[in-house]
């Protein structure tokens, strides 16, 4: 794929042109990526205080007693959104589903350990750990190996 960027001071709005020989899966993927709306900031509460953080500050998100929690280096915060809603708003190349109840930032991972029952145990930079459901093991491996 060839990428060109052209700066034109006459333009009022950003314009994107995709040139291809034919409409194919790669064009579809580019279109989907361009249409994605990602949030620059998220917020969560701790006691009565609302904290604001960027996606890259998130170590992982998980559910606890039917509440979505986010873990950052600074602390744990309660989120108002559901886990699947947050998953849709996080950069998919940076975040991966670990289980039905957890999503991890790949940049926050330190190591993996195989478990006796076919799952993985994921260790984060801060020393905490989460387990990966068998269902999500292959997706994580693909993303780690740069194929996903």
């Amino acid at each position: 794929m060839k990428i060109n960027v052209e700066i034109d001071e006459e333009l009022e709005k950003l314009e994107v042109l995709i040139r291809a020989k034919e409409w194919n899966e790669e064009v579809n993927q580019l279109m989907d990526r361009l249409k994605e709306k990602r949030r620059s900031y998220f917020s969560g509460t701790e006691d009565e205080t609302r904290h604001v953080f960027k996606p890259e500050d998130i170590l992982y998100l998980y559910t606890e007693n039917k509440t979505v929690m986010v873990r950052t280096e600074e602390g744990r915060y309660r989120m108002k959104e559901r886990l699947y809603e947050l998953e849709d708003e996080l950069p998919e190349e940076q975040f991966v589903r670990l289980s039905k109840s957890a999503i991890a930032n790949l940049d926050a991972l330190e190591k993996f350990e195989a478990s006796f029952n076919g799952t993985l145990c994921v260790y984060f930079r801060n020393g905490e750990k989460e387990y990966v459901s068998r269902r999500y093991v292959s997706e994580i491996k693909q993303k780690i190996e740069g194929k996903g």
Side-chain angles (χ1 to χ4, degrees), residues 39-46 49-61 68-81 86 90 95 105:
R39 284 171 46 184
S40 300
Y41 294 93
F42 291 85
S43 68
T45 56
E46 179 184 42
T49 306
R50 182 161 296 279
H51 297 265
V52 178
F53 43 88
K54 295 179 180 181
E56 56 267 22
D57 297 333
I58 298 171
L59 300 176
Y60 62 98
L61 301 108
V68 175
M69 304 293 292
V70 63
R71 183 69 170 96
T72 68
E73 294 281 354
E74 287 72 39
R76 293 169 15 134
Y77 309 109
R78 192 173 54 255
M79 304 295 287
K80 65 179 184 201
E81 300 93 340
L86 292 165
L90 291 165
F95 287 85
N105 181 344

Side-chain angles (χ1 to χ4, degrees), residues 51-121:
H51 297 265
V52 178
F53 43 88
K54 295 179 180 181
E56 56 267 22
D57 297 333
I58 298 171
L59 300 176
Y60 62 98
L61 301 108
Y62 60 99
T63 56
E64 181 179 88
N65 299 325
K66 297 184 181 181
T67 301
V68 175
M69 304 293 292
V70 63
R71 183 69 170 96
T72 68
E73 294 281 354
E74 287 72 39
R76 293 169 15 134
Y77 309 109
R78 192 173 54 255
M79 304 295 287
K80 65 179 184 201
E81 300 93 340
R82 296 201 174 272
L83 200 58
Y84 72 88
E85 293 170 331
L86 292 165
E87 182 178 30
D88 287 343
E89 295 180 341
L90 291 165
E92 71 178 42
E93 65 281 351
Q94 185 179 0
F95 287 85
V96 66
R97 181 70 82 146
L98 299 180
S99 66
K100 203 168 87 172
S101 59
I103 298 171
N105 181 344
L106 290 169
D107 295 337
L109 301 181
E110 184 174 280
K111 64 182 178 179
F112 294 93
E113 226 174 58
S115 180
F116 65 90
N117 61 356
T119 62
L120 287 176
C121 184

Side-chain angles (χ1 to χ4, degrees), residues 6-21:
E6 185 180 302
I7 305 300
D8 183 348
E9 294 176 3
E10 303 293 317
L11 286 176
E12 297 291 322
K13 289 183 174 181
L14 178 66
E15 181 181 300
V16 177
L17 170 65
I18 298 173
R19 298 180 66 184
K21 185 175 183 177

